[in-house]
Amino acid sequence: MSEPASISSGIAARYATAIFEIAKETNSLAKIEPNVIDLASALNESADLRALISSPLVSRDDQEKAIAALAVKMGVEPVLKDGLSLMAQKRRLFVLPQLLDQLSALIAEDKGEVTAEVTSAKALTKTQADKLAKTLAARVGKDVKINATVDEDLIGGLVVKVGSKMIDTSIRSKLNSLQNAMKEVG
């Protein structure tokens, strides 16, 4: 990991932990979860917001005013709004994407959930996703939330990542294994 990325994740971890602990103490953890999802979505959709949090040309005051106005408009809980304002004051808004990821992970861990990144050749049906979630929950011992994406290059099968474990049952990987085995023979 590069040094700037590790510094950013360290900063994000400290803010995420502080916001999480305050939210837990004030019993507003369930209320900030949708805020985190909405902010992450806004960040993904808005180039202006991404520019606001990362531009060194925007002053601290302007960042703080803009993020406060956004928080009010989105109905963000006070604990998260205050955290974002503090980050703006300290010129730390550039770590907002990592903060939201880490805050989501802390909330999920508190709820006893884990997220499985599932990539399939075709979109999973609701029944398939539910069955996969149940199977993974039995294996992992926690509730599993499926984050599904489609990659037609897999040809068929699934690639499932839960934490540091990866299960690759895709046809593409099986063909690659067969190709490697044939190279060794020939």
Side-chain angles (χ1 to χ4, degrees), residues 82-111:
D82 293 346
L84 293 174
S85 291
L86 180 64
M87 289 172 68
Q89 291 168 13
K90 303 287 185 185
R91 295 293 270 182
R92 298 289 189 247
L93 278 179
F94 67 93
V95 301
L96 185 58
Q98 295 97 322
L99 170 106
L100 296 173
D101 288 345
Q102 293 190 12
L103 205 45
S104 290
L106 288 169
I107 292 168
E109 184 180 326
D110 186 64
K111 290 172 33 179

Side-chain angles (χ1 to χ4, degrees), residues 153-173:
D153 291 340
L154 293 181
I155 304 169
L158 299 170
V159 177
V160 180
K161 294 177 188 169
V162 181
S164 62
K165 295 179 183 150
M166 183 170 110
I167 305 163
D168 189 348
T169 63
S170 67
I171 292 174
R172 178 179 63 189
S173 72

